[in-house]
Structures are given as C-alpha cells and as structure tokens.
Amino acid sequence: MDRWWVLEVTEVSEARVPPASRTIPVWWYSLSRVWKCRSVFTQYLTVLVLCALLVLAWWSKAKYWVTIPPDLDVFRRGGQFVLSRQEVLDHSNFISVESNGLPFVYPPFGAMVMVPLALVPGVVAFVLWTAASLGALAWITRISFAPALDQISTTKKQLVAIGVLVLLLIPTGPVSELIPFGQIGAFIVLLCLLDACQRTGRLPQGVLVGLATAIKLVPAVFILYWIVTGRWRAAIWSCLTIAFCWTTAALWMWQDTRTYFLDGLIFNATDRAARPDSIHNQSWGGTVARLKPNLDGNSTYVYLLLAVATIAGLLVAAALLHRRGNEVAAVALVGFSSVLAAPVAWNHHAIWIIPALGAILGNAHSKTRTALTIILLIAGYHGVRSGGILENLGFHEYWLAYYLALIAAITTTTLTQNAEASFVGSDALGTHHKQAEGGFA
C-alpha cells in the first residue's frame, strides 16, 4: 500500500560521503525544513516559549507544592529511621511533618534504599531527586519512542526531540504528579523497561525487575511475564534478587520485616495511607470499593475476578507482542495490569503511559497511529486533583477508562500489524534500523 505521508529523502552527511537514501516521516521532514529556515534566535525563542507554556500547564496542576514533597519526605524519614534503628512500619512512631503523618508502606528494603536521602538536607534531596526523576523520564522516553527517534539523523536532533517529548508528557495526569509529590514511579518503570528490553549490560535479565519488586511489590507481575514468555532464567534471577534484598533488610530491620510479612501488611500496605474508595484510586480495587454498597457483600469476589482476568488477559497479549518483537508494547501492557489489578493505585503509579504512547506511535509512518497518539496524549491532560466536567457529573472513573483506552489502542495497533511492524527489542532495533538504512542486501 502506498504510504503517501512517508518521503524518500536523500541526505548528504557533513563528512561529504556519498548520499544515502532514508525513509523518514513527513512530519519530521517538514519540521526540520522549517527549523533550518529560522534564525538561531528564533529557534531558541520558539523552544523557550514552548517550554514555558508546558511548564505553566504543569505548574497549574501541581497544587500541592511544598518545601519538600510529601512522599519524598516519607522516603527521607524512612532512611533516617533505618539509620537510627527505629521501626519504620510503626505508624504511631513514624511521624512525617510535611506529609501530614503519612506512613511508610513499602517493604523494609525500600526504606534501606532511601538511606542516601537521609544523609543530605531536605532541599538538597529534593533537587537531586527531581534531577534524577527527570533523567529517568528522559531515559524512559528514549526507549519507548525508539522506533521514531532512531529515524532522526543526528544525535543532537534526537536529544532535542527527546526533550520536547518529555515536555509534552510532563503535563499528563500521571506524570504531572510525579515530581510535586516526590514519587518513585519513574525509577520503577525504568528498571522494568531496561530489564525487559535487555538493556542491562552485564547484569542477567531479571535482576532489575527483582530489585524493583524488592523496593515496591507491584513489579512482581513481571515475574509472571517472564514465565509466560518462557524466560525461566530471568524469573529465577528476579526471585533470587528479591530474596537477597529482603534477607539483607531482615538482618538490619528484623522487627519491620516481621511486621510486614507476618502481620499481613504485605497484602495491602497502601490501605493504611488512604481509603480505598477515594476517587483518586483509579484501579479495579478503587472502582469496586466505590460500588461496594451496591454489590451486596460480594465486592471482594468481584474485585478478585476483575484483577485475575485483567492480569491473565494482558499477560497473554504481552506474550504475543513479545513473540512479534514488540517488547515496549508488551511492557506497557504488563505495567498496566499491575495498576488495574492493585487494591490501590494512584495516578502517579501509571507512568506506563509513556511506553504505551510510544508503542502506539511506533515508527510514526502511520497516519492513523500518529493521530491516535496525539489524541490520547491530549486526553492525558485531563485534570487529576481539580477534577473536570465528568467528575462534576458524578463520573469518577476517568483515569481507569483512560488506561483501558490505552490498552485497547496498543492491542489494536500492534497485535493487528503485519510483518512490517516496528521492532522495539534491543537486538531488533538495530536490525530494523540497518535495514531501513540499506545496510543489508
């Protein structure tokens, strides 16, 4: 089929080597031509205006700014308690001024990881944490949008494109809450994405997922993903990493370990932080909790049925995508299964929207997929804390519906694609790019 929105462009490199034919999206070619026609001053002014508008849009959503973000303060307090050998999971003793007394709800090893934050002043921790979070977002964006970004000719232009994409993603609901609250979601998503796409260097596949799970339980669903896709070695490495991390924590924090595992805190630790029926809980657990009065005492069974069906269905779809080489799309589905199936899932848990949008866009050659990505990106700018028209009408499941729409878009645009689909695994990326460059006969 003729793809009229793709151009065959002949480019000559700065080294004046023979010209090479390159297939690039027409939207990027048009933007690059306009960019070259502008003065340097106009270029930088355009970037600054775009940055200012996006940052203001983000700032307008961040209504809970404080000196130290509340969740980051909880993490710092957890690290301080580890150093002083106090019980992190003792809610009556764990008092966080900035976070209004929010408890520490992660496994004890999660508190040990936060020790470096306890060694510096709060403001310094905030600056370092924010810089690291932005770096993680940029890395996630690079991996998620790799098929489109790899068609850009130079590294400098790729970095500019990544920066623009990050600015476009920051005002979306889940990402907009990441830094104002000082949350850890970007690091968790990055660890799982690197592990699944086999970009871990010398580390065996499964170690990073195990580390993420030892810090926060939610990524444990990726162990099931290893098993479903036949990667038993990765599953074993994940389990060994979890065992090592939790054993290390138990040697230093035995009472907290006992509280977490033997007193049942492991099953729903987040329930201590807020009510499950909060409208900000956008998982099946939150929806069922809000409908509990109408379920005649069957709410637990309804939730378990929805959670198990969601995990099973998305794991099967992710396995199919893995076989087709579309690892980023598979990771996005597995990540969303952990959000939807969790008893409590706040909006900032869904940083998986970044790999989801990247998977939907693909290599940006498809007019339909590009338009769909733009529509879903704009839909992600819906208010989180302030609410919107739908919330005012009594509909409190906007973000749940949004996650389901992303899942539907991923499955329809990737599982139905033909053999010319974009490949996003680590090895497949290089092969696909070389073929596009004419590197193979």
Side-chain angles (χ1 to χ4, degrees):
M1 183 176 64
D2 182 25
R3 296 183 298 181
W4 57 267
W5 56 89
V6 178
L7 299 178
E8 282 290 331
V9 181
T10 299
E11 296 182 350
V12 180
S13 69
E14 296 179 358
R16 300 186 181 277
V17 296
S21 177
R22 175 188 293 273
T23 301
I24 64 173
V26 68
W27 62 270
W28 178 256
Y29 176 73
S30 302
L31 287 176
S32 66
R33 299 306 300 174
V34 172
W35 183 263
K36 291 178 181 179
C37 293
R38 295 176 175 175
S39 66
V40 175
F41 174 78
T42 306
Q43 293 176 9
Y44 284 106
L45 180 61
T46 303
V47 173
L48 287 175
V49 171
L50 176 62
C51 293
L53 290 175
L54 292 171
V55 170
L56 285 174
W58 175 38
W59 186 276
S60 66
K61 291 186 175 188
K63 296 188 176 181
Y64 294 89
W65 284 96
V66 289
T67 304
I68 302 175
D71 292 335
L72 178 59
D73 185 65
V74 170
F75 298 154
R76 288 189 68 248
R77 298 280 298 179
Q80 292 169 354
F81 272 48
V82 171
L83 291 176
S84 60
R85 302 296 293 269
Q86 300 182 66
E87 292 185 30
V88 177
L89 300 179
D90 182 2
H91 193 185
S92 61
N93 188 39
F94 190 90
I95 304 299
S96 176
V97 178
E98 297 290 347
S99 59
N100 298 318
L102 289 176
F104 192 92
V105 297
Y106 294 166
F109 180 75
M112 295 188 69
V113 173
M114 304 302 171
V115 168
L117 297 176
L119 300 177
V120 296
V123 175
V124 176
F126 182 26
V127 172
L128 295 176
W129 188 264
T130 300
S133 297
L134 291 174
L137 287 176
W139 203 343
I140 293 170
T141 302
R142 177 63 184 92
I143 298 174
S144 301
F145 290 86
L149 290 171
D150 282 348
Q151 297 174 79
I152 300 175
S153 58
T154 65
T155 302
K156 182 179 178 180
K157 292 179 180 179
Q158 286 186 358
L159 292 175
V160 172
I162 293 171
V164 172
L165 284 171
V166 171
L167 287 172
L168 289 171
L169 290 165
I170 282 179
T172 59
V175 185
S176 68
E177 291 196 331
L178 188 72
I179 294 175
F181 284 99
Q183 258 296 326
I184 196 174
F187 304 113
I188 298 298
V189 172
L190 179 59
L191 289 174
C192 296
L193 198 57
L194 288 172
D195 212 352
C197 293
Q198 296 182 347
R199 302 188 180 191
T200 57
R202 295 183 179 180
L203 284 177
Q205 187 175 39
V207 171
L208 294 185
V209 163
L211 178 61
T213 306
I215 297 172
K216 186 176 182 178
L217 286 178
V218 174
V221 69
F222 277 90
I223 300 178
L224 298 178
Y225 174 56
W226 300 145
I227 296 174
V228 170
T229 54
R231 287 176 280 185
W232 292 95
R233 186 185 297 273
I236 293 172
W237 272 111
S238 293
C239 293
L240 289 176
T241 303
I242 295 170
F244 174 79
C245 293
W246 283 353
T247 301
T248 301
L251 295 176
W252 184 260
M253 309 167 63
W254 167 247
Q255 187 57 44
D256 283 312
T257 301
R258 181 184 181 281
T259 300
Y260 192 80
F261 291 99
L262 299 184
D263 292 353
L265 194 60
I266 186 176
F267 296 109
N268 195 5
T270 313
D271 191 25
R272 301 197 310 164
R275 293 178 52 175
D277 60 352
S278 168
I279 61 173
H280 304 304
N281 179 13
Q282 292 291 300
S283 68
W284 289 128
T287 299
V288 171
R290 288 186 285 276
L291 295 175
K292 188 174 182 179
N294 303 321
L295 296 178
D296 299 326
N298 296 318
S299 59
T300 301
Y301 300 106
V302 173
Y303 162 67
L304 290 176
L305 178 63
L306 288 171
V308 172
T310 298
I311 292 176
L314 292 184
L315 282 177
V316 170
L320 293 175
L321 288 170
H322 168 71
R323 291 179 182 177
R324 296 182 179 218
N326 203 332
E327 199 65 40
V328 170
V331 169
L333 292 184
V334 178
F336 273 123
S337 74
S338 69
V339 173
L340 294 175
V344 176
W346 311 124
N347 295 94
H348 51 69
H349 292 174
I351 306 299
W352 305 104
I353 69 168
I354 300 178
L357 291 171
I360 295 169
L361 179 63
N363 55 21
H365 286 175
S366 168
K367 178 182 177 182
T368 301
R369 293 176 68 166
T370 301
L372 182 59
T373 304
I374 294 173
I375 292 172
L376 290 172
L377 175 65
I378 295 174
Y381 292 153
H382 183 79
V384 177
R385 299 285 162 174
S386 59
I389 298 176
L390 295 176
E391 285 78 0
N392 294 332
L393 295 176
F395 180 74
H396 301 299
E397 319 302 327
Y398 178 87
W399 288 105
L400 177 67
Y402 180 70
Y403 303 153
L404 294 175
L406 286 173
I407 292 171
I410 292 173
T411 54
T412 55
T413 58
T414 56
L415 286 178
T416 58
Q417 64 189 359
N418 56 25
E420 295 180 355
S422 58
F423 295 102
V424 289
S426 58
D427 293 332
L429 266 175
T431 302
H432 180 71
H433 187 52
K434 289 178 181 177
Q435 289 174 337
E437 292 287 320
F440 295 117

